[in-house]
Amino acid sequence: MIRRSPLEDATLIDGLRELPFLAQLAVRSEEPPASLPTEPNTVGGDATRGALWLGPDEGLVVGPPGSEPELQGEFAAVGATVIDVSANRITLELRGARARELLEFGCPINLDPRVFGPGRCAQTLLARANVLIWFVADDPEPVYRLLVRPSFAAYVAAWLADAADGLID
């Protein structure tokens, strides 16, 4: 199977890059495995392998490309229902001193670091597109990951470029 990025021909603004073909597994379980967060809108793990809270019995595990079989086996072994949704979203990484300010132009949720700091995630809208925002790190600069459907990826990237122009002006 040949995999192609919807952004392979796009020019991205400084601080924005695609993290291609990350493993993404939807995990559901009445008794969440220990590696899934139980507090709403939090992330367990780190940038290499994160488990994002999506609901009381649902998480999204994001890992390196090609790690789907290993992750599926791990969660299936503890009785969770696991579905590979890797093709469902692409991952954009936005970093830089003004990343939060840029996202705030088009996002209705409060992204203030006192409320939405590193290790937080939220399903929301960005410029009218459904996204899952994950605040990965804040040191030495803010790093956000935006998980967005492939059909909206070019739109979100173009919107971020326009919003960045607005910050400069």
Side-chain angles (χ1 to χ4, degrees), residues 10-148:
T11 302
L12 303 179
I13 61 170
D14 285 342
L16 182 66
R17 68 181 179 135
E18 181 183 3
L19 301 176
F21 313 122
L22 295 181
Q24 297 180 46
L25 299 173
V27 179
R28 295 199 76 148
S29 179
E30 289 182 25
E31 286 295 321
S35 58
L36 290 183
T38 56
E39 183 182 337
N41 298 329
T42 60
V43 179
D46 58 26
T48 303
R49 178 185 161 172
L52 290 71
W53 186 92
L54 298 182
D57 67 345
E58 182 178 9
L60 178 70
V61 177
V62 179
S67 64
E68 295 89 347
E70 172 193 335
L71 294 171
Q72 280 183 316
E74 177 185 329
F75 287 99
V78 294
T81 301
V82 184
I83 300 172
D84 184 351
V85 293
S86 300
N88 193 36
R89 298 178 183 98
I90 71 155
T91 305
L92 296 170
E93 185 174 84
L94 179 65
R95 62 176 54 233
R98 300 187 80 184
R100 178 176 57 91
E101 190 176 357
L102 182 58
L103 292 173
E104 287 175 332
F105 269 151
C107 183
I109 64 172
N110 184 357
L111 296 175
D112 186 289
R114 293 172 293 182
V115 178
F116 193 84
R120 298 300 241 171
C121 66
Q123 298 177 83
T124 187
L125 295 175
L126 178 64
R128 297 183 299 218
N130 288 316
V131 297
L132 176 55
I133 297 179
W134 170 10
F135 192 176
V136 177
D138 199 20
D139 186 30
E141 63 185 357
V143 178
Y144 294 88
R145 289 195 179 160
L146 310 172
L147 290 87
V148 61

Side-chain angles (χ1 to χ4, degrees), residues 13 102 105 155-169:
I13 61 170
L102 182 58
F105 269 151
Y155 166 77
V156 169
W159 182 89
L160 288 167
D162 287 346
D165 283 344
L167 278 179
I168 293 170
D169 295 341

